[in-house]
Every structure is written in structure tokens, then in C-alpha cells.
């Protein structure tokens, strides 16, 4: 761990190391657990502490709560008080734990020697080097220092600007590759303000998304998933029972397209044109109710976007354009969502929303929107150009910005930064940009830092350290502040704060007065730290739409006649690349294609046939792809293994962004291809040529067959069937095949106390895999890497199953069948009678328990499980230090040779029961929540007591009578989990 | 060949003794090289098993959802083989079938060592083999019992009973023969045989007791032929897996066991009789009758496959039908068709008398039968696991080096034990041969017309 441990820290570490060392087998038998001699003030061993902070994994800024045991954070949950997350958290947020405990984090400052290798140096030497260079650059003139860092929240960013200003430089860039510039530019044109609107999907009744993968990476996926689940909940609207209707215009389906009624395959980069064509049709049909007198003017401006010509460019049939226009036109509360990097998509969507009256309802501008954090792309590229032109002496790269990896190739960031005289890199895990640095300085992870965030009006999120730093890193802004005071002298006098924490504290005092609160000082500050921030409802603004904005609509960017288009999309977990060094995010399969640990090229079977690619792997289920193509782009060639799938438009090669790091730790380096390097600035699409090459490369997937074969795993029913009380065909079939009076050899179990069960709403589940990540974190699940997944050894206890409806099913099915599958805790568990040693047995509370210490590893139980939810430890689990600090002390770490499976988080159940017993009371419904249920942004999973008729879980079943089903009922396993059928609109119905 | 039969067509008591004990002469270089080779294979298998225990199952090809694959296939394969040995030595004894006398000792030996080999595999396939004894209901202070509902616990009882009875049966029957050998042996062999013969003197009383005990043991062993493999088959039939959950499994497996075991007796007897020069004792007539059993059981297997397939179609259960469709036409379907060829088609040649009395043909056919029977178990076990109730969990299994080496090692272990036994203990029962000499001569004459020009 760190050098120079204090006795207190040593005891903390020893206690935790002892708790984590419960591995039998060939490990040394006994390790010592040393109890505290002098107890720490805030720690009761065995009792967790909870700290509220703000997640820093993306710009959504969800509030989270960190569960800390014995001084180390072991689990993250959503903050129920935060309006964005409302208690939920996404997979990326869960994996932040693997960021703070990443084994490849820098622990000592390093300097690059003349031969290019790195040597460790002391802090004093490193900081002296840094400060000397800064001073020299400041003396040499203005603007000779450049800072490229990810946005860190208003206070810290303000600090950074002041620091740079103290050295006479204004070249400060807050860089987010997946940025908001197109949205802001369009908002400026349409509404005269560069704010970002807030979307409230639950207030709409029709949503058409033009390239916005709102359930994956766009905006705030956690918030949008929750809203979308509401949107799709059946409720009475005019005309009867209905659910919201949605369409998704995009080159690839993804899970966003899977959960919409219509996935409209469109060429990448043409989403904006399609949106304008839809607007055109709506204008012609008179659906723009709020257009008023401007209606004809608007129609004239859109003349170039008639459906026929847009259909030719985009590949979207005219009928679909017209249908989307029809949907939006007929809706009471239509909502268009714009995505991608093309401002005209946003123009069109804002126009649709404004002219149909949805602005102020489903799309809202809030008063008091925070100032923009990220720099505009033009400013950023100007700074990069200046660096390349030799106008900058010191380049500071900080806070995970990773410009060399994410900046467009045309900016030449790699060359420019490579040529800069002195590059300093600050961060936690050295990435591709650190390769160009002469000085590397370790700084805290966001979970170890004081910061704040202002994602939208009314929300001021606080970020506080949830534990002592894992590595001997330092606070970035403390270093900056110190260097400002040292080097810039009088120019730094205006900076009154001593360190970052001070600055954040001061910012909160400002907020206090802004909120009109009595400056009671400490009480407010404590309240904020407990809540994780200040969460107020901001007022909606009345904005007026400027019809002239549409004059600026320009033709779609991707105009080429090229046969093939490359559509790059941010990987839902790896995002822009930052998630690649977190093994959970690599091992959890991307939900729509179920591929792990790689980049891939999604190609439609027709296109694949043209390229000479075959699906010869399809029947063996051994891999997801093996042929490799070479893709020639204007910026260079890349090779990608091909995954042939109908979930992408013919003529499009869809490839995920996020892999292809040259250096970013052991889990990320040398894996896949970096798509950013081949994309032009401001677009994620590029015309390409591709050819098959002789190389073979295996794409690994835990998924077997994609065809559900009509089995009762993910059941669906149409809205019409639900509204009219008609049973869907599969239910009728099951009724026919299931004997009316099943013969029971044994008496039924009697549950006098609690009987735990779950209700899972498949309609709400989007496949986002937050539950999977939460389970990995809570239950000490091992990750094996690509080779182990290849051998079929994924250890996830809960998985997202995804099936593609066959041709004859497609008419009566959603776009994809998606559902979470976990141990069903069956009443007639088939796994119980076959275990020879009672390792699998039934508890008095209805769970099927697995006793790890008793398991001899015959693996008979998994053979008999129809759901295949059990997992065998084929290999000894390893967590390279310090990932092992994340392990939950309440859950055994299983050794090799032992079977494991979902336990309904029995450690949480038992802890709650113990607490209740200690306090002499009954358990309250909602007191126990499993990790998966807690994380789910869609609130799809409800856990509770079947013997409690008032529990939310039971109520959910009672309130949805026509939708309940159990998986594979023909096996008569009597699962404790009841699923609620997913709903879809019958094709061709309004 | 023909000349040899002529002269040895009338063996006397002395002839029998001489022929059998000639085989007990110290082995030559070739013999020891062979035993060394088998020992090497055994050691290799043992080393890989040790590696698997030490380094976990990571090195094998096992993965979700094939929890059972090559090791269980080997287990069922070897246990199945064992059954026909007991059939020949116990059941055919009770039925007083004449042609059993020359080969039953060889078959019984095969049984014992096959069970010994089979018994290794439940250990090899365990994740934590050092806790294997938890399946045994031994008294302990925590009052823990194994779960008697589990077919694996039934297996434990069945296999251990079978091993015990088979060993007792074999060694009981051996006592007079070992005494015979002891009388003519010198040196350490005399001591060795003296110990094993338990002081047998051949008195009237001893013979009477011997006959009674032998009959009793044969009686004990008889039901085991049917029950043990039924119990083993219930490892699969008692699950819910499509393709396993079928009541046909018990008779299906028992018939298959006899089938493959008799074929292995042929595989062992044909070279053994040649190398040890006991063609006069284990004659073509014996092999002919044995191959008729092989043919009979092959036809039963064909009928079983047909019944199984028919029932799957008849149920119209989509999950069952999908599993079987994969079994026939899936990526591992070639194994199914190889199995049909080896088990159903090739043994039909045994309808031809010329084939039945030709040792080369019999040897080849018996090898194919065993290949087919090994594949049958693999196809059933791995196939059903690979194509189970949840299609997203379908994945086909590819064995890796560890499984292959351990399988080969098991053959090495079996052959090493068998070869050592054959050299040091009488592989043909001198006692029973002498009892049956008279009708042996008659029987060989009956077969002679078949042997035109071999």
C-alpha cells in the first residue's frame, strides 16, 4: 500500500485485509485479524458509514451515496434525495469503485528520462520541476501555458482559470469529447439562450428520438430510464389503456431502439435531415399547432427536406418518415429528442417540440441554468493548434481528459502535444495522454476529492471524499493553488483559498446566501454534506421559438455516395474510453450485442454477404464473430472483427467507441480499436471502404442462441390484449400444457415468517445492466477476462438475457426480448434434491441457500437448474491489489471448486433482521432491498415479503393482473420471482 | 490355425493346467515394455489430474453450461463395461450357460478393473475432491448426513457395493486356481500364491463350501448387473434436462452396458488368447457366442434409440424436440451419426457367421462398438447440457488437453492393471474348464463346419 503508514492506518488495513482473506484451498490457512486497540472515532467495525457525494463518471452528475466499511468504500448507491438519480445508479457509476481501487493507478510522481522510460521521483522534486517550468513559461510571455482537463465542477474549474490567469494564460480548456455544443448552438438559434433544456419523458405520450440513445449514453441515462419506464407504464389516456409510443432513428438499434416501438434504421449523420423531413411533413399536415402564422414560412424553409429526397439520402422509407410525422402530429404531448454531433438535428427537434407546444411540458428550460462548463470545440481546437505551433511552453493535462485518445484526428492533438516542450500529466490512472508527458503526478480520484457539480438549474451537487486516499496521491487543485502562490506572486493574491476544500466550502457559503438562507455556517454545511448537495426545484422558463432558426438548416454532412458508412457509437459502459480500465465494464456484455472485452464491427447480414463474410459460427455458439475486415477511412485504416447482426442498418458498419487504448492499464491496453482517431470533428459517421482480410479474431460472448424459440423466458403482450383482458397466445399455450392439478410428492413448504420474493417488470427493464454491476460490487463476484468468458465462465449472478424475435414472431413482439434473469429461488428448486451434500438447500424464509463451505463441486445442481443461473468457480478468483479493498466483508469470497449463485443479497436480509431483532420490532417493507433492485434506474425490480400483502412487491403483482408470469412454468419449479410482461404496440395500430 | 485346433481339440485336465500356467511364466521384454507403456500413460493421467487439483478446473475445457462432460462420460463408460463381466460370470453361471467357462475369469477381471477405473472419475470431476468423503454417511459431531434424495449418493452406494461384490466374487472364484498355481510354483510366486489361496487344500468339505459361497455370490452379483447401471442412469433421468428426463434410461443404459462390455471382452480376449497361446481354451466357439450377445444388445440399442426418438416426437414438447434436433443436426451432430454407425450399423455384420468366427473382424467391430458407446454417452450428456431450456445459455463443449490425457490415462490404468493381473494370476478358470471339457469338445466340433479356410 502506501509508504509511511501511521499505526492507525496500519490497523485499518490489517483489519480489512484479514476480513478479505477467507479463501480456502491452497492458500495459507490462517491469517490474523487484528482488532482495534484504540477505536477510530467514526468507525464501529461491522457497521457501515454512508457518505453522500456526486458521481464523476460522466457529465450527468448523479448524486450517489458511498457505503464505507472500516474506512474503505465498498459500494455505491444512488442518492434518493438527488432529483436526477433518485436513488438509482448506472453500471458506470458502480464501476467507479474499480477506478478508485484500480491497480494501475499511479502511486508516485514519475519523470520521463531521456531514453523515454519513466523513473520515480519524490514529490518535492516533482513539484519543483513543475513550478519552475510554470514560472519560466510565465516569464516568457502571455498564454504560454495551456491546461486541458475534464470539467470538474464550477468551483474547481473557476480555481483552474484563476491559477492559469495568475501565470498570464487564458488557454484553459475543459474538454469533453461527448459534448453539448450542438445542443447549445441550436438552443441559441432557436430560443436565444445557450442553455440545455431538460427533458421529461414521462410527460410525453409520443417520443421520437433522432439519434439520441437516451437509454445508453445520451444526457442522463439514469434519469431518462426512470422517466421512460413511467412513459411505458400502462395508464388510462384518452381512448383507453395505453402506453407511450416511441421511435428511434439511428443506424443501429442498441437497447434504445430495442425499447422503442419502431427502430428506424437511418444512415449515420442523416438523423438531422430525417428530423427536418418529419418537420416538413408535419408542417404540411398542419400538425404544428403552435406555429401560428409562421407555419407557411417554415414549410418554405424546409422545402429542401421533402421526404423523397431525404429518404434517398438517409435510407429511411418515405412511409416511415410520414408515420413518425403522424405519430408526433396526433400526440397530445409529443417529444422529439435530438442526439449526435449535428446541430441541425437539434434545430429540428427543438422546432418540433416548440411548434407542437411541448416546450414547457416535456421539454423545459429552467431558470438559473448553470454556466457552461465545457469549452467550445472551436476554442479547444484553437488551443491545440497553438500548442502545435509552438506557442505553448507548458501543457498541463489533467482530470482524465485524455486528449490524445479522444480528440479528432484532424486536430492533430497527438502530434501537437508530443512536440510541446514540457507536458505535465495529472490524474489517477495513467492513460494514453500520459505517454506524451514528461512529468506524471498522481492525483486523487473523484471519490477521494472535494468538488461540486452543477448539472442543471436548482441542483448543486457536492462531492466529498468518502475515504482516505488509497494511494499517496494529492489533490490536483491544492498543487495548482500552491504553485500559483509560489510562482505567480502578486498575480495570485486574488486567490484567497488555501486549498480545494476551502474553495468548495467558500462556494457553498456563496450558495447559502444566494438561496437566501440565514448564513448559519456550520449547520448548512453539515446538512449539505449529509444530503450530498442542495436540490431545489427550479422554475420553468417561458421561451419563444424563433422560426428564423430554421433558415440556417444546412444539408446533411454525410453526403457521400459511398456504399459503406461507419457509424461509431459510444459504448454504453466504456463511454468515450474512460471506462476501459475497469474490468467490470469490460466483462459485463454490451446489452444489445452481448460482446465483451473488445471492439467489433456490427454488420447486417446482407452487407456481410456482399463483403464475403459468413456467419459460420452461428450454430456453435462458441463466439460472436471471427472474420476480420479492414476498414479504410479518410484518416487511416483500422481492422475490426465482424459481428453479423440484423440490429444494424444494411450498408452501415457500427463500431463501439472506447477501446483501442495504447496505454491505460492492464485491462484496457492493446485491446480493440480507437474509433475517435478515425472520426472527423463534430461527427460520428464517416464514409468508408471495407474488405475482408485473411486474419481471424475471435469476438467473445457469454450469449448462446439469440432465438428464444417461443419459450416462456421473456413474455410479451400487446397493449390491445392488456386493455381488453385477452390472454396472449403463450399464456394460452401454457395453460393447455400445464396439468391442472400438478402432482406433488412432497408437502408444500410452510412459511410462517417471511417468504422473500421479487417482482420484475420486464416492460421497464431496458437492459442497462446496472443491476449486473451492482451485483458484482455487492457480492464479490470475480471477473475472469476475455479468455475465461470465452470458455463460458462469466460469473455474473444476474444477467440480461437478450433474444432477437424471429421473422414470424416479429409482428407480435417488441424489437428485442430483454429481461434480467437471476436465481428464481424456487419453491420446488430442482437444484436442491440433487446436491449430494445439502450444499443447496431451502431456508425457512423461502430462499434457496448455497452453503459454500459444504459444496464439494459435483455441479449436479446447475445441471438441474432450468434457468442456468448457478455459477461454478472454475478458476481461483483474483483481485489484483488494491481491487481487493472493494470486497464486501459481509459476503464470503468463494474459492475454486465451489458453486455459487444469487442469494437475494442474504447478507442484507440477515443484517436487517438482526437490526430489527435488536431493536425489538418487526421488519418494515422496503427496509431490505437487494443490490440489483436498489441500482435499477427503471425501478424494474421490486423485492419484498410475499407473506406481507401490503408490500410494494406484492402490490405490484396485484396491480398488474394480466401481465404476471413465471419463467419456464413447465418445469414446475415454482419460482419466487414473478415477471410482468413487456408491452408493445401491435404494428400498424395507432 | 486349423491345425492348432485339431491337436488341441481334446484337451485333458493336464492340458488345461499346462496351457493356463504357461501364461503365468515370467513375462518377456515385450510384455514389460507394454506394461511400462501403460504405466506411463497412467502416470501422465495422474500428473494431469494432480495439476487439475492444484490449479483448479481452469485448465480444462469445462464451462457454462456443460458442467459434466468427458469425465462423467468416462465414468459411465467404464461402469457400463463392468456390467457385462458380471453378467457373464454371475448371470450366465446361474443359467448354466456352457460357453461362459473359458472367458468368465477374463470378463470378471475386466469388471473389477473397470469399476476401479470408473470409481476414479467421480473423484476427478469433483471441484473439491479433498472433501469427497462428505458423500459418505459417516458419523460426525455435526450430525451431517448426505442427501439421500440425490442420485449421486445412490451412485456411491451402488458403485461401492458393486466393487466390493465383484472383488469378492473374483477372488473367491480364484482360490482353487491360485492353489493350483501355488502347487507348481517356486520362489516368491509360491509365497504370493500361498497367501492368496488362503490355504486351500482341495478337500471335499472345501469344495462343497466353495460351491455354496460361489453360488451365493453369483446370486448377489446378479441383481447388481441391472441395478447398478440403472442407478447410474438415474444420475441423468432424475433431472429435468431435456434429453435426460426419460424413463427409458434404466433399461437403455443397462443394455448399452452389456453391449459395450461384451465388446470389450472381445477386444481383450482376442489378443490375450493369441499372446498367451490359449486359443484352445478360449475358442472360436466362445467368441462366436459372445458376439451373438453383442449382436443382441446392439439390436436392443437400435430399438432404444428409435423408441427415444419416437417418444420425443410423440410428446411434441418443443424443448425436447429442439434438443433432439440439435443432437441430430447440430454442430456436434456428426458424433450422433458416428454413434449410430458404430452401434447400430456395424454390429449388423455379426449376423454373418463368417464374421462372427473371424477374430480380425470381431476385434475391429468390438473397437467400433466401444467408440460408439463412448460417443453415445458424450452425445447424451454433453448434448443435452449444451442445448438446455434457456437458448441464451447454449454453448457447445470442446475438450482440452487435460480431459484427453486423463481419458487416455484411464485406459492406461485399466490396461496396466489388467495386464499385470493376466500375467500373475490365471486368466482362465482352470477349475471350471476342467468341469466343462466334455461338452467343450462337442461344441468346438459344432463350430468347425463354419471354419472353411481361415
Amino acid at each position: 500500500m502506501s509508504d509511511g503508514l501511521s499505526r492507525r492506518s496500519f490497523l485499518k488495513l490489517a483489519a480489512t485485509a484479514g476480513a478479505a482473506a477467507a479463501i480456502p484451498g491452497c492458500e495459507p490457512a490462517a491469517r490474523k485479524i487484528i482488532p482495534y486497540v484504540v477505536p477510530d472515532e467514526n468507525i464501529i467495525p461491522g457497521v457501515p458509514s454512508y457518505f453522500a457525494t456526486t458521481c464523476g463518471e460522466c457529465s450527468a452528475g448523479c448524486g450517489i451515496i458511498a457505503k464505507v466499511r472500516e474506512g474503505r468504500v465498498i459500494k455505491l448507491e444512488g442518492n434518493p434525495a438527488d432529483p436526477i438519480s433518485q436513488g438509482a445508479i448506472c453500471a458506470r457509476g458502480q464501476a467507479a469503485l474499480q477506478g478508485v481501487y484500480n491497480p494501475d493507478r499511479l502511486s508516485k510522481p514519475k519523470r520521463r528520462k531521456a531514453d523515454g522510460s519513466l523513473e520515480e521521483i519524490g514529490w518535492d522534486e516533482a513539484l519543483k520541476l513543475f513550478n519552475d517550468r510554470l514560472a519560466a513559461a510565465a516569464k516568457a510571455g502571455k498564454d504560454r501555458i495551456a491546461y486541458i482537463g475534464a470539467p470538474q465542477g464550477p468551483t474547481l474549474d473557476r480555481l483552474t482559470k484563476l491559477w492559469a490567469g495568475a501565470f498570464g494564460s487564458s488557454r484553459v480548456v475543459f474538454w469533453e469529447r461527448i459534448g453539448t455544443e450542438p445542443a447549445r448552438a441550436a438552443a441559441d438559434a432557436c430560443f436565444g439562450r445557450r442553455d440545455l433544456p431538460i427533458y421529461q419523458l414521462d410527460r410525453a405520450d409520443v417520443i421520437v428520438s433522432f439519434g439520441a440513445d437516451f437509454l445508453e449514453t445520451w444526457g442522463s441515462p439514469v434519469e431518462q430510464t426512470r422517466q421512460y419506464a413511467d412513459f411505458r407504464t400502462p395508464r388510462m389516456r384518452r381512448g383507453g389503456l395505453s402506453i407511450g409510443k416511441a421511435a428511434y432513428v439511428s443506424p443501429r438499434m442498441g437497447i434504445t431502439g430495442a425499447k422503442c416501438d419502431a427502430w428506424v434504421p437511418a444512415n449515420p449523420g442523416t438523423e438531422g435531415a430525417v428530423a427536418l423531413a418529419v418537420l416538413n411533413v408535419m408542417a404540411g399536415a398542419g400538425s404544428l399547432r403552435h406555429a401560428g402564422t409562421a407555419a407557411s414560412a417554415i414549410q418554405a424553409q424546409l422545402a429542401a427536406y421533402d421526404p423523397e429526397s431525404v429518404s434517398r439520402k438517409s435510407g429511411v422509407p418515405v412511409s416511415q418518415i410520414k408515420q413518425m410525422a403522424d405519430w408526433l402530429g396526433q400526440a397530445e404531448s409529443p417529444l422529439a429528442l435530438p442526439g449526435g454531433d449535428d446541430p441541425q438535428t437539434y434545430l429540428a427537434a427543438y422546432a418540433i417540440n416548440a411548434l407542437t407546444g411541448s416546450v414547457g411540458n416535456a421539454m423545459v428550460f429552467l431558470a438559473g441554468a448553470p454556466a457552461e462548463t465545457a469549452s467550445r470545440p472551436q476554442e479547444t481546437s484553437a488551443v491545440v493548434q497553438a500548442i502545435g505551433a509552438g506557442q505553448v511552453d507548458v501543457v498541463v493535462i489533467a482530470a482524465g481528459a485524455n486528449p490524445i485518445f479522444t480528440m479528432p484526428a484532424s486536430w492533430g492533438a497527438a502530434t501537437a502535444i508530443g512536440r510541446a516542450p514540457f507536458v505535465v500529466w495529472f490524474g489517477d490512472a495513467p492513460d494514453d495522454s500520459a505517454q506524451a508527458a514528461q512529468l506524471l503526478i498522481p492525483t486523487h480520484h473523484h471519490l477521494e476529492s472535494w468538488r461540486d457539480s452543477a448539472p442543471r438549474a436548482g441542483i448543486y451537487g457536492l462531492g466529498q471524499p468518502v475515504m482516505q486516499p488509497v494511494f499517496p496521491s494529492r489533490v490536483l487543485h491544492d498543487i495548482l493553488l500552491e504553485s500559483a502562490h509560489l510562482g505567480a506572486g502578486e498575480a495570485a493574491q486574488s486567490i484567497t483559498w488555501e486549498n480545494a476544500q476551502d474553495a468548495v466550502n467558500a462556494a457553498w457559503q456563496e450558495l447559502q446566501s444566494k438561496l437566501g438562507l440565514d448564513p448559519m455556517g456550520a449547520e448548512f454545511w453539515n446538512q449539505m454534506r449529509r444530503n450530498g448537495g442542495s436540490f431545489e426545484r427550479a422554475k420553468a422558463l417561458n421561451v419563444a421559438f424563433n422560426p428564423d432558426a430554421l433558415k440556417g438548416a444546412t444539408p446533411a454532412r454525410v453526403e457521400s455516395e459511398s456504399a459503406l458508412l461507419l457509424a461509431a457509437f459510444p459504448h454504453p459502459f466504456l463511454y468515450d474510453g474512460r471506462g476501459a480500465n475497469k474490468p467490470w465494464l469490460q466483462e459485463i456484455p454490451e446489452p444489445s450485442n452481448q460482446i465483451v472485452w473488445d471492439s467489433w464491427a456490427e454488420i447486417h447480414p446482407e452487407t456481410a454477404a456482399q463483403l464475403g463474410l459468413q456467419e459460420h459460427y452461428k450454430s456453435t455458439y462458441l463466439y460472436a464473430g471471427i472474420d476480420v475486415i479492414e476498414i479504410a477511412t479518410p484518416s487511416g485504416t483500422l481492422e475490426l472483427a465482424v459481428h453479423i447482426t440484423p440490429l444494424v442498418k444494411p450498408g452501415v458498419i457500427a463500431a463501439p467507441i472506447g477501446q483501442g487504448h495504447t496505454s491505460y492499464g492492464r485491462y484496457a491496453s492493446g485491446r480493440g480499436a480507437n474509433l475517435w482517431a478515425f472520426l472527423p470533428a463534430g461527427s460520428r459517421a464517416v464514409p468508408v471502404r471495407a474488405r475482408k482480410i485473411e486474419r481471424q479474431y475471435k469476438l467473445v460472448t457469454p450469449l448462446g442462441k439469440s432465438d428464444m424459440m417461443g419459450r416462456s423466458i421473456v413474455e410479451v403482450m400487446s397493449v390491445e390484449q392488456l386493455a381488453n383482458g385477452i390472454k396472449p397466445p403463450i399464456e394460452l399455450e401454457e395453460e393447455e400444457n400445464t396439468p391442472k392439478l400438478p402432482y406433488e410428492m412432497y408437502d408444500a413448504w410452510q412459511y410462517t415468517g417471511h417468504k422473500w420474493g421479487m417482482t420484475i417488470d420486464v416492460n421497464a427493464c431496458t437492459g442497462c445492466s446496472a443491476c449486473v454491476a451492482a451485483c458484482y460490487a455487492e457480492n464479490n463476484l470475480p471477473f475472469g477476462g476475455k479468455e475465461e468468458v470465452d470458455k463460458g465462465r462469466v460469473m455474473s449472478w444476474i444477467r440480461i438475457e437478450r433474444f432477437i424475435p424471429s421473422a414470424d414472431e416479429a409482428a407480435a413482439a417488441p424489437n428485442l426480448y430483454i429481461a434480467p434473469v437471476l436465481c428464481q429461488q424456487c419453491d420446488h428448486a430442482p437444484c436442491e434434491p440433487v446436491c449430494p451434500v445439502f450444499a443447496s438447500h431451502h431456508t425457512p424464509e423461502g430462499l434457496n441457500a448455497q452453503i459454500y463451505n459444504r459444496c464439494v463441486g459435483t455441479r449436479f445442481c446447475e445441471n438441474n437448474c432450468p434457468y442456468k443461473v448457478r455459477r461454478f468457480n472454475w478458476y481461483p478468483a483474483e483481485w489484483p491489489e488494491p481491487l481487493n479493498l472493494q470486497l464486501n466483508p459481509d459476503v464470503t469470497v468463494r474459492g475454486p471448486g465451489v458453486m455459487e449463485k444469487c442469494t437475494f443479497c442474504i447478507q442484507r436480509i440477515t443484517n436487517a433482521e438482526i437490526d430489527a431483532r435488536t431493536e425489538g420490532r418487526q421488519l418494515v417493507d422496503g427496509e431490505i432491498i437487494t443490490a440489483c433492485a436498489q441500482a435499477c434506474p427503471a425501478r424494474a425490480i421490486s423485492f419484498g415479503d410475499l407473506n406481507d400483502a401490503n408490500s410494494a412487491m406484492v402490490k405490484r403483482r396485484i396491480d398488474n393482473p394480466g401481465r404476471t408470469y413465471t419463467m419456464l412454468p413447465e418445469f414446475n419449479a415454482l419460482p419466487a420471482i414473478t415477471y410482468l410482461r413487456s408491452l408493445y404496440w401491435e404494428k400498424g395500430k395507432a | 490355425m486349423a491345425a492348432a485346433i485339431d491337436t488341441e481339440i481334446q484337451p485333458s485336465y493336464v492340458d488345461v493346467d499346462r496351457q493356463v500356467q504357461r501364461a503365468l511364466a515370467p513375462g518377456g521384454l515385450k510384455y514389460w515394455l507394454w506394461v511400462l507403456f501403460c504405466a506411463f500413460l497412467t502416470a501422465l493421467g495422474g500428473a494431469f489430474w494432480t495439476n487439475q487439483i492444484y490449479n483448479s478446473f481452469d485448465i480444462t475445457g469445462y464451462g457454462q453450461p456443460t458442467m459434466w462432460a468427458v469425465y462423467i462420460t468416462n465414468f459411465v463408460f467404464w461402469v457400463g463395461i463392468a456390467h457385462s463381466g458380471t453378467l457373464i460370470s454371475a448371470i450366465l453361471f446361474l443359467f448354466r450357460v456352457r460357453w461362459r467357462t473359458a472367458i468368465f475369469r477374463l470378463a470378471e477381471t475386466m469388471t473389477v478393473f473397470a469399476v476401479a477405473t470408473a470409481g476414479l472419475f467421480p473423484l476427478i470431476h469433483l471441484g473439491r475432491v479433498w472433501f469427497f468423503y462428505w458423500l459418505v454417511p459417516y458419523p460426525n459431531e455435526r450430525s451431517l448426513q448426505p442427501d439421500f434424495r440425490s442420485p449421486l449418493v445412490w451412485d456411491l452406494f451402488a458403485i461401492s457395493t458393486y466393487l466390493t461384490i465383484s472383488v469378492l466374487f473374483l477372488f473367491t472364484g480364484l482360490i482353487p486356481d491360485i492353489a493350483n498355481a501355488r502347487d507348481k510354483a517356486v520362489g516368491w510366486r509360491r509365497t504370493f500364491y500361498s497367501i492368496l489361496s488362503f490355504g486351500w487344500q482341495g478337500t471335499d468339505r472345501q469344495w462343497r463350501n466353495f460351491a455354496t459361497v460361489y453360488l451365493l455370490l453369483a446370486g448377489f452379483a446378479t441383481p447388481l448387473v441391472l441395478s447398478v447401471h440403472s442407478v447410474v442412469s438415474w444420475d441423468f433421468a432424475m433431472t429435468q434436462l431435456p434429453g435426460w428426463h426419460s424413463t427409458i434410461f434404466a433399461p437403455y443404459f443397462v443394455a448399452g452396458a452389456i453391449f459395450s462390455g461384451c465388446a470389450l471382452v472381445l477386444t481383450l480376449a482376442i489378443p490375450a488368447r493369441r499372446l498367451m497361446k490359449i486359443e484352445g481354451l478360449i475358442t472360436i466357439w466362445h467368441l462366436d457366442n459372445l458376439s451373438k450377445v453383442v449382436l443382441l444388445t446392439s439390436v436392443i440399442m437400435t430399438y432404444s434409440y428409435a423408441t427415444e426418438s419416437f417418444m420425443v416426437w410423440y410428446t411434441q414438447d418443443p424443448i425436447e424436440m429442439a434438443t433432439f434436433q440439435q443432437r441430430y443436426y447440430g454442430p456436434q451432430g456428426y458424433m450422433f451419426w458416428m454413434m449410430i454407425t458404430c452401434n447400430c450399423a456395424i454390429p449388423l455384420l455379426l449376423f454373418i457367421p463368417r464374421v462372427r468366427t473371424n477374430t480380425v473382424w470381431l476385434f475391429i467391430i468390438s473397437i467400433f462398438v466401444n467408440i460408439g458407446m463412448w460417443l453415445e454417452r458424450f452425445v447424451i450428456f454433453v448434448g443435452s447440457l449444451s442445448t438446455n431450456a434457456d437458448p441464451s445459455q447454449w454453448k457447445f463443449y470442446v475438450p482440452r488437453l487435460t480431459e484427453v490425457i486423463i481419458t487416455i490415462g484411464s485406459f492406461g490404468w485399466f490396461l496396466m492393471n489388467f495386464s499385470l493381473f493376466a500375467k500373475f494370476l490365471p486368466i482362465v478358470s482352470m477349475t471350471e474348464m476342467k468341469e466343462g471339457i466334455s461338452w467343450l469338445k462337442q461344441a468346438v466340433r459344432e463350430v468347425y463346419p463354419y471354419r472353411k479356410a481361415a
Side-chain angles (χ1 to χ4, degrees), chain A residues 619 704-705 711 788 791-793 799 801 833-834 836 853 855-860 862-864 871 874 971, chain B residues 56-58 60 62 64 67-68 125-128 147 150 235 239-241 385 388-394:
Chain A
S619 61
K705 196 169 162 76
R711 300 184 186 183
E788 294 298 344
K791 294 181 200 172
R793 298 172 184 173
R799 61 178 185 262
E801 291 208 340
V834 294
N853 284 347
C855 176
V856 288
T858 61
R859 306 187 294 284
F860 205 163
E862 170 74 346
N863 284 348
N864 216 14
R871 293 287 176 262
W874 301 103
F971 288 91
Chain B
S56 83
F57 267 74
D58 195 15
T60 65
Y62 281 74
Q64 198 80 8
M67 297 279 144
W68 286 357
H125 105 288
L126 278 185
R128 298 206 297 172
D147 187 351
S150 168
D235 278 349
T239 67
Q240 297 196 331
L241 224 62
L385 283 172
N388 48 68
D390 185 343
S392 76
Q393 301 299 301
W394 285 17

Side-chain angles (χ1 to χ4, degrees), chain A residues 455-497:
Chain A
R456 70 172 69 146
I459 296 180
Y460 302 93
L462 175 70
Q464 59 176 326
V466 300
M467 58 182 286
Q468 295 280 355
V470 181
F471 289 86
S473 48
R474 294 195 189 179
V475 181
L476 168 64
H477 288 85
D478 287 359
I479 296 175
L480 296 181
L481 275 175
E482 199 189 307
S483 84
H485 285 298
L486 270 178
E490 319 96 37
Q493 291 309 323
S494 57
I495 310 174
T496 49
W497 311 299

Side-chain angles (χ1 to χ4, degrees), chain A residues 103 124 177 367 371 428 469 550 574:
Chain A
D124 294 335
R177 181 58 161 105
D428 47 82
L550 290 169
L574 307 183

Side-chain angles (χ1 to χ4, degrees), chain A residues 585-666:
Chain A
L585 298 180
Q586 294 272 20
E587 185 125 327
I588 298 174
E590 190 272 319
S592 65
N593 282 303
Q594 300 274 323
I595 299 175
V596 299
W597 290 98
D598 259 313
S599 307
W600 63 86
E602 295 170 16
I603 298 188
H604 192 271
E606 285 168 22
T607 317
Q610 286 165 12
L611 289 169
L613 304 162
Q614 285 173 320
E615 268 181 287
H616 42 76
Y617 52 81
K618 198 171 173 195
S619 61
T620 61
Y621 319 112
L622 285 174
Y623 41 83
I626 199 151
D627 288 331
V628 177
I629 53 169
E630 185 188 72
I631 303 173
T633 76
S635 312
T637 59
L638 71 151
E639 289 178 8
L640 283 175
V642 171
H643 174 63
I644 300 176
T645 170
L647 307 183
V648 69
K649 181 179 181 295
V652 170
I653 301 174
I657 297 166
Q659 305 274 19
H661 292 272
T662 50
S663 154
Y664 188 31
R666 68 196 70 180

